[in-house]
């Protein structure tokens, strides 16, 4: 190593970070956690076992220095840094690698040992090891393509089995509680005018079970927490699996407007991170993050039956604008394919669309439909903005009552359950997460076609097809049911619930403007609302197009998604959606 007091002279144009030519010759990226201790001035580090990384808490001053190959006597790596303030866990800087020599193993090991005290749970940087496929397959080097294939097969298989177990238990209990038990104990036993009491009885019982889950098993987490873990520690702790499993089952079985997609994402993300860190002994943060994203992609691919859309959703939902963990996209999609195969094989489900929104599919569309789709997407964004404001007010009410603290999970769940089931008694269309209710609502079918809630007519015999106001009320009450479910501490995903609210609004829009096909209005409205909340423009387009079997509607849905994304870019709903900390530049910063 060069003398610490020496400084290298650099050409100002070539070495200035503001220059367009900066690092233009043979530069590569390196994470700032690889700092050598002798290069650091006036900085403070702290280990954080919860996040598995280093966090800077004061100004960091790094001098221009260089590593030297002792055998050849000249620098092999020149590091250029400017003194600046860093806020966040890490950033990327550039190394300019000279072609005159390479660091030998001895000097590299010395530097590694000197900086080892700065690294908490991960090694600092993944070296470039991609030589040939055969060599990497023999070595199973971390982060290489052969290793990614093997681990994706393992993670996809495990997550497919986990999704099958969750799916089997969930739908067995749904049939038992909402179909079999009423036949055994209610029908012909209770007065018919009292049948509707089954809805609050089941709902409040499940609410108590959800609250006790938090008391006995601990905090389950949610989608925002999963996204936070992906950014900060690159994995989801396994101690959240059992609480999330139990809490989400109680939430869904109680008829809350939350679905199984987010619980599956959290469970499979935790399993994938466990497989990466414990079974395959992965040590690099970004490699572990890749495997965690594989698990998330597998869960959504299995759930939606759309591997490309589900995998894209897993990566898009981590950021506010587009896919920032782009380097993991292909492996995540591959894992999604594996998980989809395993899950659908075990469950015996076909891979096909599940909705038929009209007697015939949309044929060739005219170009003006794209503009209509974009406009409908903006209406969906406006609806999501109204939802965000109302939800904020509801959360403040729960907070003022002291119910957002985990010290009182049972009263919180009871209050949320009362509100959700009150809506369900009057408007049964708002019950459950909406995967199977979407078609019923989009077509304004009779309440008797609702798949799970019983009695399907509720307390007052509500029907959507009575008037346009009934359909509009269904959409607004569905959004309220989502908000009450979240405020009540219930666990689940809100993708399908927002889709369902969009279907109700889209149906009303078609009634007002008959020239817009019902498929376009319902799917574009659903996309507009969901993208405004989840920031997943590409995935939402593919998922809605696939589930409806309306391939010709894809362009209009995409227009709706992108317009909604642009319109709500500066009002994120999921606060943990942040820019990557290791990117030089992003549209959004911490």
């Amino acid at each position: 190593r060069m003398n610490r007091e020496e400084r290298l002279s650099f050409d100002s144009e070539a070495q200035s970070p503001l220059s367009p030519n900066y690092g233009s010759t043979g530069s590569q990226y390196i994470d700032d956690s690889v700092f050598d201790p002798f290069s650091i001035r006036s900085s403070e580090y702290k280990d954080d076992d919860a996040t598995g990384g280093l966090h800077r808490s004061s100004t960091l001053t790094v001098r221009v220095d260089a590593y030297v190959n002792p055998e050849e006597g000249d620098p092999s790596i020149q590091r250029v840094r400017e003194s600046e303030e860093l806020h966040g866990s890490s950033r990327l800087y550039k190394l300019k690698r000279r072609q005159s020599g390479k660091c030998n193993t001895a000097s590299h090991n010395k530097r590694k040992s000197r900086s080892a005290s700065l690294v908490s749970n991960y090694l600092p940087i993944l070296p470039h090891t991609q030589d040939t496929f055969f060599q990497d397959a023999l070595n199973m080097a971390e982060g290489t393509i052969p290793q990614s294939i093997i681990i994706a097969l393992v993670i996809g298989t495990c997550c497919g089995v986990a999704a099958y177990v969750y799916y089997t238990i969930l739908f067995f209990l749904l049939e038992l509680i909402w179909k079999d038990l009423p036949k055994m104990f209610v029908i012909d036993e209770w007065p018919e005018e009292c049948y509707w009491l089954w809805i609050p009885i089941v709902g409040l019982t499940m609410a108590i079970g959800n609250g006790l889950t938090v008391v006995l098993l601990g905090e389950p987490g949610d989608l925002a927490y999963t996204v936070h873990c992906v950014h900060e520690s690159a994995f989801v702790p396994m101690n959240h699996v059992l609480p999330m499993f139990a809490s989400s089952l109680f939430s869904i079985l109680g008829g809350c407007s939350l679905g199984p997609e987010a619980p599956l994402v959290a469970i499979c993300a935790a399993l994938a991170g466990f497989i990466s860190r414990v079974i395959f002994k992965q040590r690099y943060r970004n490699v572990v993050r890749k495997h965690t994203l594989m698990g998330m992609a597998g869960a959504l691919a299995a759930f939606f039956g759309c591997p490309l859309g589900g995998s894209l959703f897993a990566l898009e939902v981590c950021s506010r604008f587009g896919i920032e963990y782009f380097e993991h996209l292909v492996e995540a999609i591959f894992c999604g394919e594996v998980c989809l195969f395993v899950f659908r094989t075990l469950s015996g489900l076909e891979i096909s669309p599940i909705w038929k929104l009209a007697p015939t599919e949309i044929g060739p569309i005219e170009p003006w439909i794209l503009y209509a789709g974009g406009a409908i997407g903006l209406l969906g964004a406006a609806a999501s903005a109204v939802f965000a404001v109302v939800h904020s007010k509801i959360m403040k009410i729960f907070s003022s009552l002291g119910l957002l603290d985990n010290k009182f999970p049972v009263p919180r769940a009871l209050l949320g359950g009362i509100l959700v089931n009150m809506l369900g008694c009057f408007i049964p269309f708002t019950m459950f997460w909406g995967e199977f209710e979407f078609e019923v609502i989009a077509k304004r079918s009779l309440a008797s076609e609702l798949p799970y809630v019983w009695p399907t007519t509720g307390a007052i015999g509500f029907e959507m097809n009575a008037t346009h106001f009934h359909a509009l009320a269904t959409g607004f009450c569905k959004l309220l049911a989502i908000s009450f479910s979240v405020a009540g501490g219930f666990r689940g995903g809100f993708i399908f619930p927002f889709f369902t609210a969009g279907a109700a609004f889209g149906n009303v829009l078609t009634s007002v403007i008959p020239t817009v096909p019902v498929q376009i209005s319902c799917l574009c409205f659903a996309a507009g609302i969901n993208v405004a909340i989840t920031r997943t423009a590409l995935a939402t387009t593919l998922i809605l197009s696939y589930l409806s079997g309306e391939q010709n509607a894809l362009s209009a849905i995409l227009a709706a998604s992108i317009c909604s994304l642009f319109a709500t870019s500066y009002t994120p709903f999921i606060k943990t959606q942040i820019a990557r900390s290791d990117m030089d530049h992003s549209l959004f910063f911490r």
Side-chain angles (χ1 to χ4, degrees):
R1 183 180 177 83
M2 295 184 66
N3 188 292
R4 290 170 53 186
E5 300 303 323
E6 294 180 358
R7 293 179 181 270
L8 299 176
S9 60
F10 297 94
D11 179 81
S12 59
E13 171 64 19
Q15 301 302 334
S16 172
L18 301 178
S19 168
N21 298 323
Y22 173 64
S24 59
T25 57
S27 62
Q28 64 181 10
Y29 289 105
I30 186 169
D31 190 87
D32 61 358
S33 61
V34 75
F35 287 158
D36 187 280
F38 295 107
S39 304
I40 300 175
R41 300 289 183 273
S42 64
S43 61
E44 297 178 6
Y45 284 82
K46 62 178 180 179
D47 281 345
D48 189 344
D49 292 334
T51 60
L54 298 173
H55 295 262
R56 237 133 345 275
S57 58
S58 66
T59 301
L60 186 66
T61 304
V62 181
R63 286 189 346 189
V64 174
D65 60 4
Y67 292 134
V68 174
N69 186 332
E71 298 178 358
E72 298 182 355
D74 62 357
S76 62
I77 299 179
Q78 296 176 350
R79 181 180 291 155
V80 182
R81 301 275 176 90
E82 300 291 342
S83 175
E84 70 179 83
E85 289 195 14
L86 300 180
H87 303 283
S89 59
S90 65
R91 277 198 182 182
L92 282 182
Y93 288 85
K94 291 196 174 182
L95 284 179
K96 187 169 183 182
R97 187 178 298 275
R98 293 183 56 178
Q99 305 299 325
S100 58
K102 298 180 180 178
C103 290
N104 64 13
T105 304
S107 61
H108 172 73
N109 289 337
K110 288 181 180 179
R111 292 193 302 274
K112 183 177 178 180
S113 64
R114 287 198 300 266
S115 59
S117 61
L118 298 179
V119 182
S120 176
N121 296 326
Y122 296 101
L123 292 182
I125 182 172
L126 180 64
H128 178 76
T129 56
Q130 184 174 332
D131 297 318
T132 66
F133 186 91
F134 180 73
Q135 289 176 332
D136 285 342
L138 288 178
N139 298 329
M140 285 300 290
E142 292 192 49
T144 58
I145 294 175
Q147 190 210 46
S148 295
I149 293 174
I150 297 299
I151 296 181
L153 289 171
V154 175
I155 291 176
T157 301
C158 293
C159 291
V161 173
Y164 168 72
V165 172
Y166 187 96
Y167 170 89
T168 303
I169 295 174
L170 172 62
F171 282 90
F172 169 78
L173 292 176
L174 278 173
E175 290 288 338
L176 175 66
I177 293 173
W178 291 97
K179 299 295 182 183
D180 297 338
L181 292 182
K183 292 179 181 178
M184 296 169 57
F185 299 107
V186 179
I187 298 177
D188 297 332
E189 301 291 335
W190 294 10
E192 187 172 350
E193 59 271 15
C194 296
Y195 283 177
W196 65 272
L197 292 174
W198 185 254
I199 294 176
I201 289 174
V202 173
L204 296 181
T205 302
M206 295 299 131
I208 295 174
N210 179 72
L212 292 177
T213 297
V214 179
V215 174
L216 300 176
L217 301 179
E219 172 61 39
D222 52 16
L223 179 61
Y225 176 75
T226 301
V227 171
H228 169 78
C229 289
V230 169
H231 285 295
E232 293 299 322
S233 58
F235 65 92
V236 178
M238 282 293 291
N239 59 7
H240 286 278
V241 171
L242 186 57
M244 175 58 81
F245 176 81
S247 178
S248 62
L249 284 181
F250 281 120
S251 301
I252 296 170
L253 294 173
C256 291
S257 287
L258 296 173
E261 61 272 24
L264 279 176
V265 166
I267 292 170
C268 291
L271 290 175
F274 178 83
I275 291 170
S276 176
R277 294 177 296 113
V278 178
I279 297 179
F280 286 94
K281 308 296 184 183
Q282 299 303 286
R283 301 165 295 168
Y284 295 101
R285 182 190 300 272
N286 207 34
V287 174
V288 175
R289 181 182 288 117
K290 171 170 64 176
H291 300 152
T292 299
L293 290 170
M294 283 183 182
M296 296 169 62
L300 291 172
F303 180 73
F304 291 121
C306 178
L308 182 57
S311 302
L312 285 174
F313 196 102
L315 276 77
E316 275 191 294
V317 77
C318 294
S319 306
R320 297 184 188 178
F321 203 87
I323 298 174
E324 293 191 353
Y325 291 113
F326 49 84
E327 71 270 30
H328 305 319
L329 179 60
V330 175
E331 291 102 324
I333 294 173
F334 174 64
C335 186
E337 288 276 10
V338 175
C339 190
L340 174 64
F341 168 77
V342 173
F343 171 71
R344 295 287 169 139
T345 300
L346 292 175
S347 60
L349 297 175
E350 295 181 347
I351 303 175
S352 62
I354 61 174
W355 302 327
K356 189 173 180 62
L357 305 183
T360 59
E361 296 181 4
I362 298 177
I365 62 173
E366 298 181 6
W368 70 268
I369 292 291
L370 301 184
Y371 290 97
I376 296 172
L378 293 177
L379 291 177
S384 71
V386 173
F387 167 80
V389 172
V390 173
H391 179 68
S392 176
K393 302 295 184 183
I394 292 174
M395 293 296 287
K396 287 181 179 178
I397 294 174
F398 273 72
S399 178
S400 65
L401 297 175
L403 296 179
L404 297 186
D405 194 329
N406 278 344
K407 294 179 180 178
F408 308 104
V410 176
R412 177 185 181 184
L414 276 174
L415 178 57
I418 290 172
L419 296 173
V420 169
N421 285 276
M422 187 183 301
L423 289 174
C425 288
F426 290 102
I427 306 180
F429 293 88
T430 63
M431 296 289 285
F432 296 101
W433 69 95
E435 179 182 1
F436 305 103
E437 290 81 5
F438 184 96
E439 181 178 340
V440 177
I441 291 175
K443 296 165 64 175
R444 276 205 217 182
S445 300
L446 296 175
S448 59
E449 297 187 26
L450 291 171
Y452 288 111
V453 62
W454 187 90
T456 57
T457 54
I460 61 174
F462 182 91
E463 294 288 352
M464 267 190 70
N465 61 359
T467 64
H468 296 334
F469 173 78
H470 284 69
L472 197 62
T474 299
F476 281 115
C477 288
K478 185 64 176 179
L479 293 178
L480 281 176
I482 297 171
S483 181
F484 292 149
S485 299
V486 174
F490 296 100
R491 297 306 193 274
F494 36 66
I495 301 172
F496 272 117
F498 283 123
F499 284 172
T500 307
F505 293 133
N507 186 283
V508 175
L509 184 63
T510 296
S511 302
V512 176
I513 310 176
T515 54
V516 179
V518 64
Q519 300 99 312
I520 296 293
S521 58
C522 289
L523 295 175
C524 289
F525 222 120
I529 296 178
N530 186 67
V531 169
I533 299 296
T534 63
R535 329 299 302 154
T536 54
L538 302 180
T540 297
T541 299
L542 293 174
I543 291 168
L544 284 172
S545 178
Y546 167 76
L547 293 177
S548 63
E550 297 288 355
Q551 301 304 312
N552 288 329
L554 190 145
S555 299
I557 301 172
L558 181 60
S561 299
I562 293 178
C563 287
S564 177
L565 182 66
F566 284 149
T568 58
S569 294
Y570 294 91
T571 56
F573 183 78
I574 303 175
K575 302 302 182 183
T576 55
Q577 289 177 322
I578 58 176
R580 286 181 64 170
S581 57
D582 58 349
M583 290 184 70
D584 281 334
H585 173 74
S586 175
L587 179 62
F588 294 97
F589 295 93
R590 287 175 179 244

